[in-house]
Structure formats: structure tokens, C-alpha cells
Amino acid sequence: MRNLSYRIKGQPVLIHVVESEQDIPQFEDWISRHRIAGFDTETTGLNWWDAGRGFRIRLAQFGNGAETWVIPVERGPSFRAVVVEALHRLEWLVAHNGTFDLHVVEACLGIPMEELAPKMWDTSLLAHLVDPRGVKEKGPGLKLEELVKFYIDQQTAEEVKGSMTAIAKRYKTTKEKIWALVELFDEEYLLYAGMDPALAYRLFQLLYRLVPIRSKERGLIGWEHRLSHVTAKLERTGYLIDVGYAERRCEELTAEEEKWKAVAKTFGVENPNSNQQLIEAFQGFGVKLTKRTKPSKNHPNGQLAMDDDVLSGVGHPLADAVIKAKKAGKWRKTWFERALNGRDSDDRVHASINSLQARTSRMSISGSIPAQTFPSGDGYVRHTFLADEGHVSCSIDFGNMELRYLAAFSRDSTMLDAFLSGKDLHQITADAAGVVRKIGKMANFLTVYGGGWAALMEQANVDEETARRVLDAFNETYPGVGAFGKKLAAEARKTGYVWTATGRRLPVDPGKWFRALNYFIQGGSRDVTARALLKLDAAGFTPYMRLPVHDEIVFSFPEREAAELSQEAARLMEFPVQGLLIPADAEIGGRSWGSILDLANSKH
DNA sequence: GACTGAAGCACC
DNA sequence: AAACGGTGCTTCAGTC
């Protein structure tokens, strides 16, 4: 046994490192005397889906705020066995981002996440319920180091955060590669590993008390945990990809990028991605550039803008080439190469779904399938993603989710009536303002976002007078919406928070009280989708679910049953808020996700 | 090489 | 009185 020690604000943390089989009984004794423990794993990387193709678990750590154990799982079956036994035995586990550890334990140690998930407490979920703001939003943050810095001790946080970087430097390698390379019994590594369960455990004790009583009473702690287990199962299932299709698009886009880069070169631009080079080139051709980016620290007046709007306005062949070259490169890397590089041995890709991420509580999807930002105009990107063999793709989306949510809670009679009697809300707004439907629609959404006339001016490309008139008309048509927004803003001004209807406390930035309405709607709508995921899970739909995308859930259904299953799923998803139904509509396509969009487009 | 801020673009 | 909410990814450019 090797014993290490660390001090957090003067309090000792004892770290026992199991070195040989003779040390195991002491660990077993500790486990037998504890019902709950902080838990963490160290692995060779983040690609848990590649267990058997190089991904390994290296260490497993257990402990509480004062004493932890590091088990060298990599050393062989007896160490694996003792970890498996401990995991079976403990009644509760505490982990930060425990979803990752669930994947690791399942893939490497064979314990199904269905067994461990129900007894796991995740400090990242508690932290979000306490304060959802990241460090950049002047909040505590959501990462372990950030939370330790905010809630426990700054010095500890910095040492833990810096340690793997320091080890990487010592090994003369990168932070990305160090996880697989570091010597298993490297003292600094053991210290880093051993501290993690202690910190998670301490955070759990602190954060649990800080979760607002109102959130607890509404059962949000358990609810968010159950939800994260559903999204963990979706991550595990993954999404089958059409490798040939993605590879063809990559080749196509590479050729496209090369072609337009060559054109840019003939105008003296080596790198179309460099705005500096572009500005220089255009000014050399006598083009007058006026649009500026927003003011920042280093550029109080903003810099000359070089976005799509500017480029398509200059009317020069270089601009056209730059737009096309940039787009081809970005699309290839972001959509197709990400999917190809992330696939497992069965050609499935596994997104990282953070079920509770945004400061409004919206989910985020990142990694190999950044699905929330997939181009939606046609199926070009989404064709990459396939329903399973013998299955078809199906998308079920909520209709007018956020606007219905707004109508339901503002109780504005015109807006409620529009939805209850199936009228066209965007047209009603347009008619009231004397503009086309498209601008009416913009005004409706702008209200959800808290935008003013200046934003409408920019977005709809109308003059100030028109923009003001449209918003005035909106306010006259739906007086209940303005009143509701004012009520939430006043509450935010008084308390600093807006509470969602689901009992979630969301901080609002000082002076930005108008955002309270958006947070209420965005957070509440997310909870409607979250509720749908839980309902679908309970009804046995999880094996068919692929991804949630804000107001939509994507499925892979067996072809023969697709019609029935999609209707059943849609009925489960639908939910009346304050008596107003948020309907769900199923669209069935062919094999690929993209085929749904193609079918929808061909209808017009 | 790692990190950060900013710009730009993809979405709901 | 005045105000476009929330994300993720890639790249550049500057700093340490």
C-alpha cells in the first residue's frame, strides 16, 4: 500500500493506493463499512465506445471527503474484480459527470448502466440546479475544477487543474495523449486521481444543501438524474452512419474547397479564412468596407466585418470564391469528418448528450454528432445518419412549442384563442401590423427572445418606423404577453432570478431583466421535451430513440411497425400546459434521417 | 503546445 | 428607458 496525503484548507485527505493483491482486503474492509462513496475512473481517453479497440480503464477511485482509495484496474483481473464487487455493494455513488463513468464501467467492467445509474448522484446536475451559469457568465461554472474553486478552495482547484498539464509536460507529450502514457503509479497522477472522489464527495454534501427548496419539493433532483440516465442510454445506442455517403461528401467538399481556394489565390489571397488578408485584398481593389463587428476590449470601435453579408455585397469574384471555399471546408470538417472519425467498430457514432447544460437548462449535444446545428434546409448532412437495418427514420416534433408555452402561461386571450381554434398566429400578427406573414412570424419569435425594434429592423430589413409599428401592433394585439413579460422582469429585478413553472431557479443578469421571459419559456419548453423523453423511456421506446433536438426527437423504428409506433410515441410526447396542448407530429422517412427532410421538401 | 477571445456560421 | 434568448465547432491571432 502506498499512502499519500493532501490538504484542503488545512484538512487532510488520505489517499490509499492499492499496489498489490495483499492490499486488497484493506480496501474491501473500507467498502464494507460504507454505504456511499465518491467514485471516479481514469481511462486512456474519452472514447469509451472503443473498449476493445484501445480504450481502457486504468484506475478506479472510491472515497469520501477525508479518505480515498485508488485501485489499479489495469493491473489485472483481481483488481478488476474488487472494483466490480465494490460497485455492486455500495448503495450510493457520487460522481461528477457520472454519465462518463457509467459508460466506462459498462464497457470495460461489464456492469450495465441500468444497475449503477439508479444509485448514482451526479454533482454536475446538483451544481446546475444551484446555479446554471458558466464561469463566462460570471457564475460558479459546471466543471469539477470550477466548482471546487468556487465552493471549496481555490488553491486545491488550481493544483488539480494544473496537475495533468504538468505531468504531460514532464513526459514531453500533450495533454490529450498523457492519459494513456502516464506511468500507472506516477505519484502526481495518483494524487490527481485520488483527489477526485474526495472533491466530488465534498461537493455533493455542499451542493445538496444549496439546491433551492422549491426545486427539491418539485422533485427536480431525482427527475434530472432519471433524465440523464435516459440520455446516457441514447449515447450508448449511438447512431448508425452511412460511411460511403459521408466519404463521398468529404471528397466532393475537398475538391470544392481546393477549386475555390485556387481562385482566391489568383487574387493574391493565400488563406480565405484570414479576414485580415481579405480586408487587405478588397481594399487594394478599391472596395469600401464599412460594416463593423461589435466593439470588444482590443477594438473599441469594432473591426471591419467580413461576414457573409459583407462578402455577398461586394460584388467581386474573390468574395464568391471565399464564401464557397470557407463553407466547403467547414462543412466537411464539422459534419462529415466528425462523424467518420467518431465511429465505433459497428459504424455507429456516439454523441455526447448533456441533459442539463445551458443556463436555461436546455440540453446540448456535442462531439461526433453536433445534431442541434445540423443544416435543416435539406437532407445533405442528415443523410449520413441511418435508421438500423430493417428500420426507417422518424422525426416527431412539437408544434409551435415555445409560442404555445408563452400563450399558455401569459394567458393572453388572443394568442390562446389562435392556438385553441387553429388560427395562424404569424398571420394574425402580420395582419395587425399590416406586413407580410414572414415579418409577423419574426415579430412573434422576437418576442420570445426579448428583442426590440432594432433587432426586427436588422432581421426583416425594414426601416425603423416599420419595425416600431410592427412591435407596437404586437403589443396591442397580445397585451397579456407584455404584461407577463413585465411581471417576470419585475420579479427578476427584485430577486435576481426567474423561476420556471417546473420549479427551476434561473439567474438573470443585472440590467438584463427583459431576458426573464425568454428564460421562462426556453427552460419550461426544455422541460416539456425532457418529460417526453422520460415518458418514452418508461413506455419502452428507448431502444428506438436516437437524439433529442430541442423540440424534436429522432427515432429509428422497425419498418413494419413504424406507423403505429410513431403514433404511439407522438401521443406520449404531447402534453397540455395550463390546459393548452403542445401537439406532437410524426414524420416517417426512409432509411436516412435526411430522407425525412427530402420528403417534406418534395411536398411543396 | 496550450489557452483565450473574437469572429463567423450552423441550428432551435 | 430600452433590449436578440440559448447552444457547438472552426479558425485566426495573440499570449504565455
Side-chain angles (χ1 to χ4, degrees):
Chain A
M1 187 84 68
R2 195 186 313 184
N3 290 309
L4 309 170
S5 67
Y6 188 88
R7 296 189 97 79
I8 302 174
K9 287 197 291 189
Q11 303 165 342
V13 179
L14 201 57
I15 300 166
H16 310 286
V17 181
V18 169
E19 290 181 297
S20 68
E21 292 181 18
Q22 284 80 49
D23 299 335
I24 288 177
Q26 287 180 66
F27 168 66
E28 286 176 321
D29 178 58
W30 189 91
I31 289 291
S32 71
R33 288 183 284 110
H34 291 81
R35 299 167 59 195
I36 178 167
F39 174 60
D40 186 35
T41 58
E42 300 306 328
T43 61
T44 53
L46 297 172
N47 50 331
W48 51 266
W49 52 87
D50 281 331
R53 282 203 312 179
F55 177 87
R56 296 189 320 278
I57 178 170
R58 305 200 66 196
L59 300 171
Q61 307 99 267
F62 298 83
N64 58 27
E67 190 179 13
T68 71
W69 298 79
V70 180
I71 317 297
V73 183
E74 198 178 79
R75 275 297 153 94
S78 49
F79 298 103
R80 283 171 59 108
V82 73
V83 167
V84 169
E85 183 55 30
L87 288 169
H88 284 318
R89 195 154 178 164
L90 286 162
E91 284 172 48
W92 301 104
L93 299 164
V94 174
H96 191 73
N97 286 327
T99 300
F100 176 73
D101 302 290
L102 289 178
H103 285 305
V104 172
V105 166
E106 182 176 76
C108 301
L109 302 178
I111 305 177
M113 60 170 70
E114 281 79 354
E115 180 193 328
L116 290 195
K119 57 184 188 181
M120 185 173 270
W121 295 95
D122 193 328
T123 43
S124 72
L125 300 178
L126 296 179
H128 196 286
L129 291 172
V130 174
D131 191 328
R133 293 173 300 171
V135 171
K136 279 179 187 147
E137 286 96 44
K138 300 197 170 77
L142 296 166
K143 294 190 184 118
L144 183 72
E145 291 85 6
E146 294 167 349
L147 294 166
V148 169
K149 185 173 179 178
F150 190 88
Y151 292 107
I152 299 179
D153 176 44
Q154 180 167 355
Q155 194 190 338
T156 305
E158 279 162 11
E159 282 170 8
V160 170
K161 186 176 162 60
S163 60
M164 286 314 286
T165 313
I167 296 169
K169 207 167 208 173
R170 177 149 53 80
Y171 279 70
K172 296 190 178 18
T173 183
T174 63
K175 216 184 153 187
E176 197 192 338
K177 290 180 184 156
I178 190 62
W179 303 100
L181 294 174
V182 61
E183 188 69 34
L184 197 64
F185 289 101
D186 182 295
E187 196 136 313
E188 207 177 346
Y189 176 55
L190 293 170
L191 194 65
Y192 167 87
M195 281 305 289
D196 203 292
L199 295 171
Y201 192 91
R202 285 177 179 231
L203 276 176
F204 172 69
Q205 292 179 309
L206 281 164
L207 291 170
Y208 194 92
R209 294 190 187 95
L210 295 175
V211 174
I213 295 180
R214 215 158 133 186
S215 308
K216 282 181 179 151
E217 284 172 353
R218 296 296 292 270
L220 277 188
I221 293 179
W223 201 71
E224 291 299 342
H225 279 83
R226 290 193 294 281
L227 179 69
S228 79
H229 302 153
V230 176
T231 55
K233 285 188 272 187
L234 301 193
E235 291 177 336
R236 176 179 63 187
T237 304
Y239 213 146
L240 181 66
I241 64 164
D242 186 336
V243 173
Y245 177 83
E247 284 174 343
R248 286 195 295 281
R249 296 292 85 81
C250 281
E251 282 172 34
E252 215 171 74
L253 289 168
T254 303
E256 172 93 356
E257 187 184 2
E258 289 313 314
K259 184 172 92 185
W260 295 110
K261 264 175 121 169
V263 174
K265 218 166 199 170
T266 64
F267 292 103
V269 171
E270 285 295 320
N271 182 0
N273 283 312
S274 167
N275 286 356
Q276 277 180 8
Q277 287 184 29
L278 292 175
I279 289 165
E280 215 173 293
F282 283 124
Q283 287 179 335
F285 301 142
V287 176
K288 287 268 178 293
L289 299 167
T290 51
K291 186 178 175 183
R292 305 195 78 89
T293 61
K294 66 166 198 294
S296 65
K297 227 191 278 172
N298 294 337
H299 304 273
N301 300 320
Q303 303 180 76
L304 285 173
M306 198 38 72
D307 57 19
D308 216 50
D309 179 49
V310 173
L311 286 168
S312 45
V314 296
H316 191 284
L318 170 61
D320 183 54
V322 166
I323 292 173
K324 287 176 169 147
K326 274 166 69 171
K327 189 172 169 171
K330 171 90 189 274
W331 280 44
R332 170 170 56 83
K333 293 185 188 81
T334 311
W335 313 131
F336 300 108
E337 283 183 355
R338 267 187 169 265
L340 287 169
N341 294 339
R343 76 195 131 129
D344 66 13
S345 53
D346 295 320
D347 288 338
R348 299 184 85 88
V349 284
H350 304 269
S352 178
I353 306 173
N354 193 329
S355 60
L356 185 58
Q357 205 272 342
R359 67 177 294 172
T360 57
S361 79
R362 285 229 282 214
M363 301 179 215
S364 83
I365 306 179
S366 57
S368 309
I369 323 178
Q372 288 173 333
T373 56
F374 279 175
S376 60
D378 59 30
Y380 185 69
V381 169
R382 296 175 203 225
H383 278 312
T384 307
F385 300 89
L386 297 178
D388 290 349
E389 183 81 46
H391 285 217
V392 288
S393 295
C394 173
S395 160
I396 307 182
D397 66 335
F398 289 106
N400 292 110
M401 189 187 222
E402 295 196 329
L403 284 168
R404 278 178 190 265
Y405 201 88
L406 172 62
F409 281 96
S410 71
R411 306 312 292 169
D412 181 87
S413 54
T414 309
M415 199 175 269
L416 267 177
D417 177 65
F419 283 123
L420 289 169
S421 55
K423 288 184 203 146
D424 182 348
L425 188 74
H426 302 323
Q427 192 62 53
I428 292 174
T429 308
D431 290 345
V435 290
V436 293
R437 185 177 182 279
K438 206 174 101 182
I439 295 180
K441 185 177 177 179
M442 284 178 188
N444 286 342
F445 280 112
L446 217 57
T447 303
V448 174
Y449 297 151
W453 60 264
L456 185 62
M457 218 176 113
E458 172 87 6
Q459 196 183 326
N461 211 358
V462 294
D463 58 27
E464 182 180 331
E465 198 222 313
T466 310
R468 283 180 184 275
R469 197 185 73 227
V470 173
L471 290 190
D472 285 347
F474 180 96
N475 289 325
E476 277 170 38
T477 312
Y478 314 106
V481 170
F484 184 60
K486 278 208 183 83
K487 195 187 97 186
L488 292 178
E491 185 196 319
R493 185 183 282 117
K494 212 167 96 186
T495 66
Y497 298 105
V498 56
W499 290 81
T500 67
T502 41
R504 203 180 290 288
R505 189 183 66 186
L506 302 176
V508 181
D509 287 353
K512 306 284 187 185
W513 312 120
F514 67 92
R515 292 179 180 165
L517 177 67
N518 175 259
Y519 290 5
F520 180 92
I521 299 168
Q522 200 179 106
S525 298
R526 173 274 189 190
D527 287 335
V528 174
T529 303
R531 175 199 163 276
L533 288 170
L534 287 164
K535 286 275 280 190
L536 289 163
D537 181 61
F541 276 88
T542 301
Y544 303 130
M545 283 197 273
R546 290 298 173 267
L547 294 167
V549 188
H550 298 309
D551 61 350
E552 171 191 9
I553 300 174
V554 188
F555 297 82
S556 164
F557 283 131
E559 190 169 2
R560 284 159 183 263
E561 304 159 78
E564 265 174 62
L565 288 171
S566 63
Q567 284 313 305
E568 196 188 332
R571 295 296 83 79
L572 284 166
M573 287 168 65
E574 286 180 340
F575 184 58
V577 281
Q578 306 290 105
L580 177 64
L581 189 75
I582 301 188
D585 184 35
E587 284 195 273
I588 300 172
R591 191 75 193 275
S592 81
W593 183 5
S595 64
I596 300 171
L597 289 158
D598 291 351
L599 285 170
N601 287 339
S602 68
K603 279 184 199 161
H604 301 299

